Amino acid sequence: MSVAPAGSTKDRLLAAATELFAERGFHATTARDIAARAGVNLAAGHYHYGSKQDLYIEVLRRQFVEIRAELARRGARPPAANLDRLTRQELAQLLRARAKVMLDLLIGPPPGLHGTLMQREMCDPSAALPVIVAELIQPLQRETQSIIAQLAPGLPRRDVERCAFSIIGQALFYRFAMPAVLRLWEAPGYSPGLAEELAGHITEFSLGGLERVSALRPPRRRAPGALHRAAR
């Protein structure tokens, strides 16, 4: 059991809840467990956060804020405007920066709580899943798709979405399959420089995959008016 952190009762409850939800998942954690870990009485949890689900959502939202702030701080978010003015090299660098931030947060070292919380939620979804999808997954997915759409102009929306899933999935693999990967590598843990190496690999592998997917798609037909304008 962790020692209850110093600070306000509200902060201690949030810290304790974050630890326990990561260790056990939402369903296996009780409000009484959280209060005990925080070193407060059960009524304090209800006073500050309401239900266990409300506290869980607050834990997740704090994680979301940290992730978005880290992406912005490290230049890994697409610009709000003029994304189409970036060169292919700049787009590739942006994709690599996003992969690096994701891997740093997921595998560290040490592995971040965000990855553990998401792994628990995906294995045993709670009623908070719609919040996770709407406030974290969809925004990150849309940003990644916007980069892909610039790297592969004309690629159908369905393919853009799937390519984004594939890129994100490569980073998630090294967190979700970490015990098996470490056993395969006969390593006690991920090395400090691994995230940088993997970010480069994922980017180059994904750029090659985008080219292949684009090449397999037939050229999009122009509208008759567009053909006439192009001839002028």
Side-chain angles (χ1 to χ4, degrees):
M1 178 182 294
S2 299
V3 177
S8 69
T9 298
K10 190 173 183 179
D11 289 341
R12 287 158 59 192
L13 281 164
L14 189 66
T18 302
E19 288 181 357
L20 285 166
F21 288 138
E23 290 174 12
R24 308 175 186 177
F26 174 78
H27 297 293
T29 300
T30 67
R32 193 173 298 278
D33 294 333
I34 295 168
R37 175 73 61 94
V40 301
N41 61 53
L42 186 59
H46 294 299
Y47 173 77
H48 287 289
Y49 291 104
S51 68
K52 182 181 79 167
Q53 181 172 314
D54 292 334
L55 177 52
Y56 183 55
I57 290 175
E58 180 63 19
V59 165
L60 295 171
R61 283 180 169 150
R62 290 290 183 96
Q63 295 288 316
F64 302 165
V65 168
E66 291 177 9
I67 292 166
R68 288 193 291 267
E70 188 68 8
L71 286 166
R73 186 182 70 81
R74 292 167 60 175
R77 297 192 68 180
N82 302 324
L83 181 61
D84 58 341
R85 294 186 181 181
L86 297 184
T87 66
R88 182 172 180 80
Q89 182 178 359
E90 288 171 333
L91 290 166
Q93 290 173 345
L94 181 57
L95 198 63
R96 180 170 183 153
R98 288 178 72 80
K100 177 65 164 59
V101 173
M102 287 177 60
L103 288 161
D104 283 340
L105 292 171
L106 288 168
I107 69 173
L113 287 176
H114 160 68
T116 308
L117 286 164
M118 290 301 99
Q119 193 168 15
R120 296 282 187 191
E121 181 67 26
M122 294 304 108
C123 291
D124 190 13
S126 71
L129 184 60
V131 174
I132 296 171
V133 172
E135 297 185 17
L136 178 69
I137 295 176
Q138 280 185 339
L140 295 182
Q141 177 75 4
R142 281 196 297 265
E143 289 183 354
T144 305
Q145 287 181 199
S146 70
I147 300 169
I148 292 169
Q150 293 300 320
L151 284 166
L155 198 63
R157 181 179 179 83
R158 182 184 65 176
D159 289 322
V160 170
E161 180 184 61
R162 290 178 178 177
C163 288
F165 282 145
S166 295
I167 292 169
I168 295 169
Q170 290 177 76
L172 290 173
F173 168 81
Y174 288 96
R175 177 63 187 89
F176 289 2
M178 184 169 66
V181 173
L182 290 176
R183 182 168 289 274
L184 286 169
W185 288 350
E186 298 181 350
Y190 287 141
S191 64
L194 182 63
E196 181 72 36
E197 294 177 15
L198 291 176
H201 167 77
I202 289 171
T203 302
E204 295 304 318
F205 188 84
S206 300
L207 290 173
L210 277 173
E211 289 183 5
R212 177 63 176 168
V213 171
S214 297
L216 291 173
R217 292 290 173 263
R220 300 176 71 177
R221 293 182 178 179
R222 292 184 179 181
L227 288 173
H228 176 69
R229 289 191 298 272
R232 294 175 61 181

